[in-house]
Short mmCIF file of all heavy atoms in Angstrom, two decimals:
data_model
loop_
_atom_site.label_atom_id
_atom_site.label_comp_id
_atom_site.label_asym_id
_atom_site.label_seq_id
_atom_site.Cartn_x
_atom_site.Cartn_y
_atom_site.Cartn_z
N GLY A 1 139.48 193.81 13.15
CA GLY A 1 138.14 194.36 13.33
C GLY A 1 137.26 193.95 12.16
O GLY A 1 137.14 192.77 11.82
N LYS A 2 136.68 194.95 11.49
CA LYS A 2 135.84 194.67 10.31
C LYS A 2 136.61 194.83 9.00
O LYS A 2 136.06 194.59 7.93
CB LYS A 2 134.63 195.59 10.30
CG LYS A 2 133.67 195.36 11.47
CD LYS A 2 132.46 196.28 11.38
CE LYS A 2 131.49 196.02 12.53
NZ LYS A 2 130.29 196.90 12.45
N LYS A 3 137.88 195.23 9.09
CA LYS A 3 138.66 195.48 7.88
C LYS A 3 139.36 194.21 7.43
O LYS A 3 140.25 193.70 8.12
CB LYS A 3 139.69 196.58 8.13
CG LYS A 3 140.57 196.89 6.91
CD LYS A 3 141.51 198.03 7.18
CE LYS A 3 142.48 198.25 6.03
NZ LYS A 3 141.79 198.49 4.76
N GLN A 4 139.00 193.72 6.27
CA GLN A 4 139.66 192.53 5.73
C GLN A 4 140.96 192.93 5.05
O GLN A 4 141.02 193.90 4.30
CB GLN A 4 138.75 191.82 4.72
CG GLN A 4 139.32 190.49 4.23
CD GLN A 4 138.31 189.64 3.48
OE1 GLN A 4 137.14 189.98 3.45
NE2 GLN A 4 138.76 188.55 2.89
N VAL A 5 142.02 192.17 5.34
CA VAL A 5 143.36 192.48 4.82
C VAL A 5 143.84 191.41 3.84
O VAL A 5 144.47 191.72 2.83
CB VAL A 5 144.37 192.63 5.98
CG1 VAL A 5 145.78 192.84 5.45
CG2 VAL A 5 143.97 193.79 6.88
N LEU A 6 143.55 190.14 4.12
CA LEU A 6 143.97 189.04 3.25
C LEU A 6 142.77 188.43 2.54
O LEU A 6 141.73 188.19 3.17
CB LEU A 6 144.69 187.96 4.06
CG LEU A 6 145.98 188.39 4.78
CD1 LEU A 6 146.55 187.22 5.57
CD2 LEU A 6 147.01 188.94 3.80
N PHE A 7 142.95 188.15 1.26
CA PHE A 7 141.86 187.65 0.43
C PHE A 7 142.30 186.36 -0.29
O PHE A 7 142.85 186.41 -1.38
CB PHE A 7 141.46 188.71 -0.60
CG PHE A 7 140.99 190.01 -0.01
CD1 PHE A 7 141.91 190.99 0.34
CD2 PHE A 7 139.64 190.25 0.20
CE1 PHE A 7 141.49 192.20 0.88
CE2 PHE A 7 139.21 191.46 0.75
CZ PHE A 7 140.13 192.44 1.10
N GLY A 8 142.08 185.23 0.35
CA GLY A 8 142.36 183.96 -0.28
C GLY A 8 143.82 183.67 -0.53
O GLY A 8 144.19 183.14 -1.59
N VAL A 9 144.68 183.99 0.43
CA VAL A 9 146.12 183.79 0.27
C VAL A 9 146.48 182.32 0.49
O VAL A 9 146.07 181.70 1.47
CB VAL A 9 146.91 184.67 1.26
CG1 VAL A 9 148.38 184.26 1.32
CG2 VAL A 9 146.79 186.14 0.87
N SER A 10 147.28 181.79 -0.44
CA SER A 10 147.80 180.43 -0.31
C SER A 10 149.31 180.45 -0.51
O SER A 10 149.80 181.12 -1.43
CB SER A 10 147.17 179.50 -1.35
OG SER A 10 145.78 179.36 -1.14
N LEU A 11 150.02 179.74 0.36
CA LEU A 11 151.47 179.61 0.20
C LEU A 11 151.95 178.43 1.02
O LEU A 11 151.20 177.87 1.84
CB LEU A 11 152.20 180.89 0.61
CG LEU A 11 152.11 181.39 2.07
CD1 LEU A 11 153.16 180.71 2.95
CD2 LEU A 11 152.30 182.89 2.14
N GLU A 12 153.21 178.05 0.79
CA GLU A 12 153.77 176.96 1.57
C GLU A 12 155.26 177.20 1.82
O GLU A 12 155.93 177.90 1.05
CB GLU A 12 153.57 175.61 0.88
CG GLU A 12 154.25 175.46 -0.45
CD GLU A 12 153.98 174.09 -1.08
OE1 GLU A 12 152.90 173.53 -0.84
OE2 GLU A 12 154.88 173.60 -1.79
N VAL A 13 155.73 176.64 2.91
CA VAL A 13 157.15 176.65 3.27
C VAL A 13 157.56 175.22 3.52
O VAL A 13 156.97 174.53 4.37
CB VAL A 13 157.42 177.50 4.52
CG1 VAL A 13 158.92 177.51 4.83
CG2 VAL A 13 156.89 178.92 4.37
N ARG A 14 158.56 174.75 2.80
CA ARG A 14 159.04 173.39 2.96
C ARG A 14 160.14 173.33 4.02
O ARG A 14 160.76 174.34 4.32
CB ARG A 14 159.56 172.85 1.62
CG ARG A 14 158.48 172.78 0.55
CD ARG A 14 159.05 172.45 -0.80
NE ARG A 14 158.02 172.46 -1.82
CZ ARG A 14 158.25 172.35 -3.11
NH1 ARG A 14 159.51 172.25 -3.56
NH2 ARG A 14 157.26 172.36 -3.98
N PRO A 15 160.40 172.15 4.58
CA PRO A 15 161.45 172.03 5.59
C PRO A 15 162.80 172.55 5.08
O PRO A 15 163.22 172.25 3.96
CB PRO A 15 161.52 170.52 5.85
CG PRO A 15 160.14 170.03 5.52
CD PRO A 15 159.69 170.87 4.37
N GLY A 16 163.46 173.37 5.90
CA GLY A 16 164.77 173.89 5.56
C GLY A 16 164.79 174.97 4.50
O GLY A 16 165.88 175.40 4.08
N GLU A 17 163.64 175.48 4.12
CA GLU A 17 163.55 176.44 3.02
C GLU A 17 163.48 177.87 3.56
O GLU A 17 162.94 178.13 4.63
CB GLU A 17 162.28 176.14 2.21
CG GLU A 17 162.16 176.88 0.90
CD GLU A 17 160.96 176.40 0.10
OE1 GLU A 17 159.86 176.26 0.68
OE2 GLU A 17 161.11 176.15 -1.11
N VAL A 18 164.04 178.82 2.80
CA VAL A 18 163.87 180.25 3.09
C VAL A 18 162.87 180.81 2.08
O VAL A 18 163.11 180.76 0.87
CB VAL A 18 165.20 181.03 2.98
CG1 VAL A 18 164.97 182.51 3.24
CG2 VAL A 18 166.24 180.48 3.95
N VAL A 19 161.76 181.32 2.59
CA VAL A 19 160.70 181.86 1.74
C VAL A 19 160.52 183.34 2.07
O VAL A 19 160.41 183.72 3.24
CB VAL A 19 159.37 181.11 1.95
CG1 VAL A 19 158.24 181.77 1.17
CG2 VAL A 19 159.53 179.65 1.53
N ALA A 20 160.51 184.18 1.04
CA ALA A 20 160.39 185.62 1.21
C ALA A 20 158.99 186.09 0.84
O ALA A 20 158.41 185.65 -0.16
CB ALA A 20 161.42 186.35 0.34
N LEU A 21 158.45 187.00 1.66
CA LEU A 21 157.21 187.69 1.36
C LEU A 21 157.55 189.15 1.09
O LEU A 21 158.09 189.82 1.97
CB LEU A 21 156.24 187.60 2.54
CG LEU A 21 155.78 186.21 2.98
CD1 LEU A 21 154.86 186.33 4.20
CD2 LEU A 21 155.08 185.49 1.86
N ILE A 22 157.27 189.61 -0.12
CA ILE A 22 157.61 190.99 -0.48
C ILE A 22 156.36 191.71 -0.98
O ILE A 22 155.35 191.07 -1.29
CB ILE A 22 158.70 191.03 -1.56
CG1 ILE A 22 158.21 190.38 -2.86
CG2 ILE A 22 159.98 190.35 -1.08
CD1 ILE A 22 159.13 190.58 -4.04
N GLY A 23 156.46 193.03 -1.05
CA GLY A 23 155.35 193.82 -1.54
C GLY A 23 155.26 195.14 -0.81
O GLY A 23 155.94 195.36 0.21
N PRO A 24 154.44 196.06 -1.28
CA PRO A 24 154.32 197.38 -0.66
C PRO A 24 153.68 197.31 0.72
O PRO A 24 153.02 196.32 1.07
CB PRO A 24 153.43 198.15 -1.64
CG PRO A 24 152.65 197.09 -2.34
CD PRO A 24 153.56 195.91 -2.45
N ASN A 25 153.85 198.36 1.50
CA ASN A 25 153.20 198.44 2.80
C ASN A 25 151.69 198.32 2.63
O ASN A 25 151.11 198.86 1.69
CB ASN A 25 153.54 199.77 3.48
CG ASN A 25 154.97 199.83 3.94
OD1 ASN A 25 155.55 198.81 4.30
ND2 ASN A 25 155.56 201.01 3.95
N GLY A 26 151.06 197.62 3.57
CA GLY A 26 149.62 197.44 3.51
C GLY A 26 149.19 196.28 2.65
O GLY A 26 147.99 196.04 2.48
N GLY A 27 150.15 195.52 2.13
CA GLY A 27 149.81 194.40 1.27
C GLY A 27 149.37 193.15 2.00
O GLY A 27 148.84 192.23 1.39
N GLY A 28 149.63 193.09 3.31
CA GLY A 28 149.19 191.94 4.10
C GLY A 28 150.29 190.99 4.51
O GLY A 28 150.03 189.93 5.08
N LYS A 29 151.55 191.37 4.26
CA LYS A 29 152.67 190.46 4.56
C LYS A 29 152.76 190.15 6.05
O LYS A 29 152.81 188.97 6.45
CB LYS A 29 153.98 191.10 4.07
CG LYS A 29 153.98 191.50 2.61
CD LYS A 29 155.30 192.10 2.17
CE LYS A 29 155.71 193.35 2.95
NZ LYS A 29 154.73 194.46 2.80
N SER A 30 152.80 191.18 6.87
CA SER A 30 152.92 190.96 8.32
C SER A 30 151.68 190.28 8.88
O SER A 30 151.77 189.51 9.85
CB SER A 30 153.14 192.30 9.03
OG SER A 30 154.35 192.90 8.61
N THR A 31 150.54 190.53 8.27
CA THR A 31 149.29 189.90 8.73
C THR A 31 149.35 188.39 8.58
O THR A 31 148.83 187.65 9.41
CB THR A 31 148.10 190.48 7.93
OG1 THR A 31 148.07 191.89 8.10
CG2 THR A 31 146.78 189.90 8.42
N ILE A 32 150.02 187.91 7.53
CA ILE A 32 150.19 186.47 7.35
C ILE A 32 150.95 185.88 8.54
O ILE A 32 150.55 184.86 9.12
CB ILE A 32 150.93 186.17 6.04
CG1 ILE A 32 150.07 186.53 4.84
CG2 ILE A 32 151.34 184.69 5.97
CD1 ILE A 32 150.78 186.43 3.51
N LEU A 33 152.06 186.52 8.92
CA LEU A 33 152.85 186.01 10.05
C LEU A 33 152.03 186.01 11.33
O LEU A 33 152.10 185.05 12.12
CB LEU A 33 154.10 186.87 10.23
CG LEU A 33 155.07 187.01 9.05
CD1 LEU A 33 156.36 187.68 9.51
CD2 LEU A 33 155.36 185.68 8.40
N LYS A 34 151.27 187.07 11.56
CA LYS A 34 150.47 187.15 12.79
C LYS A 34 149.38 186.08 12.82
O LYS A 34 149.08 185.53 13.89
CB LYS A 34 149.86 188.54 12.91
CG LYS A 34 150.90 189.63 13.16
CD LYS A 34 150.26 191.02 13.13
CE LYS A 34 151.32 192.10 13.31
NZ LYS A 34 150.75 193.47 13.18
N ALA A 35 148.81 185.77 11.66
CA ALA A 35 147.78 184.74 11.61
C ALA A 35 148.39 183.36 11.88
O ALA A 35 147.81 182.55 12.61
CB ALA A 35 147.09 184.76 10.25
N VAL A 36 149.55 183.09 11.29
CA VAL A 36 150.22 181.82 11.51
C VAL A 36 150.60 181.66 12.98
O VAL A 36 150.44 180.59 13.58
CB VAL A 36 151.46 181.69 10.62
CG1 VAL A 36 152.28 180.45 10.99
CG2 VAL A 36 151.07 181.62 9.14
N CYS A 37 151.11 182.74 13.57
CA CYS A 37 151.55 182.71 14.96
C CYS A 37 150.40 182.54 15.93
O CYS A 37 150.57 182.00 17.03
CB CYS A 37 152.32 184.01 15.25
SG CYS A 37 153.06 184.09 16.88
N GLY A 38 149.20 182.99 15.53
CA GLY A 38 148.05 182.93 16.42
C GLY A 38 147.73 184.24 17.10
O GLY A 38 146.91 184.29 18.02
N LEU A 39 148.37 185.32 16.63
CA LEU A 39 148.13 186.64 17.24
C LEU A 39 146.82 187.26 16.78
O LEU A 39 146.26 188.13 17.46
CB LEU A 39 149.29 187.59 16.91
CG LEU A 39 150.62 187.26 17.58
CD1 LEU A 39 151.73 188.14 17.02
CD2 LEU A 39 150.51 187.45 19.09
#
């Protein structure tokens, strides 16, 4: 809606790599996945 959750986030995942996103609830971790997925 009008609520901004992510503010200039940059990251990368290389082929075959396991990358972890950690942090407290409400930090925007799941929002990153939804944006990448197209949800």
